[in-house]
Amino acid sequence: MYTILFTIAAYLIGSISFAVVASHLFGLADPRTYGSKNPGATNVLRSGSKKAAIATLAGDCAKGWLAVWLASHFGERFGVEDGGVALVAIAVFLGHLWPVFFRFVGGKGVATALGVLLGLNVWLGLATLVTWLVVAYAFRYSSLAALVAAIFAPFYYGLLFGADEKLFAVIVMSLLLLYRHGSNISNLLAGKESRIGSKSKGATTAPKATPRKK
């Protein structure tokens, strides 16, 4: 029973889209209306607002970490074991991909996945983050960095902890990340993928409301 409650709570936490929230707070257009139309930190960065992009990245990462941390540190007293923590990890990630608060239109999950990995183990998260940073710095493609990091994350977990329920959760997240980046893979192969920091038109300001006629 408590495992189900923790899992539902994790999904709801994951459903908070910080890309949309941060863009609204900074007076920017909805990230679902420009660029890749993905409500994530990379697309928000295309608005030219680094502060909004950082806020999005921090928020999406934090919600993944928080859900797993709560389950890991408080779930045991309620009978939530490793299998339950694995379900929580998947649930918060699914919440980001298909958020109930935003008509099930969410981001691709890179920052939230990082938060989940950090919640499972700091070293696991850092190893995956370093992989992303190295690839992103070398090639300037956020999507390529995410794909490589997603592939390596399960191997890092297996090397550190072996095979268990949490490894299953990491594998599921990695497969979903690859699935959500299908269009990016096509663009990379075609040489059409946008590089990190490229701006998109219509991203700098939120659309103005049409004044009502008296």
Side-chain angles (χ1 to χ4, degrees):
M1 180 63 181
Y2 284 107
T3 297
I4 295 174
L5 292 176
F6 270 88
T7 302
I8 293 173
Y11 173 76
L12 294 176
I13 292 172
S15 291
I16 302 171
S17 177
F18 282 92
V20 177
V21 173
S23 294
H24 178 73
L25 292 176
F26 283 87
L28 304 172
D30 190 319
R32 296 169 294 180
T33 63
Y34 63 82
S36 65
K37 294 182 172 57
N38 173 58
T42 301
N43 201 38
V44 172
L45 183 61
R46 293 190 177 104
S47 70
S49 175
K50 293 182 179 179
K51 290 182 180 179
I54 292 173
T56 300
L57 178 64
D60 284 344
C61 182
K63 69 183 182 184
W65 172 85
L66 178 63
V68 174
W69 184 84
L70 289 174
S72 299
H73 286 75
F74 298 103
E76 187 175 357
R77 69 185 66 176
F78 298 104
V80 179
E81 301 179 349
D82 284 351
V85 175
L87 288 176
V88 165
I90 295 173
V92 69
F93 187 68
L94 291 176
H96 179 81
L97 300 186
W98 294 287
V100 66
F101 303 132
F102 296 92
R103 300 181 180 180
F104 304 101
V105 179
K108 296 181 179 178
V110 177
T112 302
L114 173 61
V116 169
L117 295 177
L118 288 170
L120 292 174
N121 182 269
V122 173
W123 294 112
L124 171 65
L126 289 177
T128 307
L129 175 59
V130 168
T131 301
W132 188 96
L133 290 172
V134 169
V135 177
Y137 179 79
F139 298 98
R140 305 297 296 172
Y141 288 114
S142 175
S143 56
L144 178 61
L147 291 168
V148 174
I151 292 171
F152 274 87
F155 289 101
Y156 291 148
Y157 189 97
L159 288 173
L160 289 169
F161 310 108
D164 58 16
E165 296 94 335
K166 295 177 184 177
L167 173 59
F168 172 75
V170 176
I171 292 173
V172 170
M173 285 197 305
S174 294
L175 291 175
L176 286 171
L177 275 168
L178 295 176
Y179 167 73
R180 293 288 283 188
H181 282 79
S183 61
N184 300 96
I185 294 173
S186 298
N187 288 336
L188 284 167
L189 294 175
K192 298 178 180 179
E193 183 72 351
S194 299
R195 292 180 181 271
I196 295 174
S198 60
K199 294 185 179 181
S200 293
K201 294 181 179 180
T204 55
T205 57
K208 296 181 180 179
T210 304
R212 295 181 179 179
K213 294 182 179 180
K214 294 183 179 180

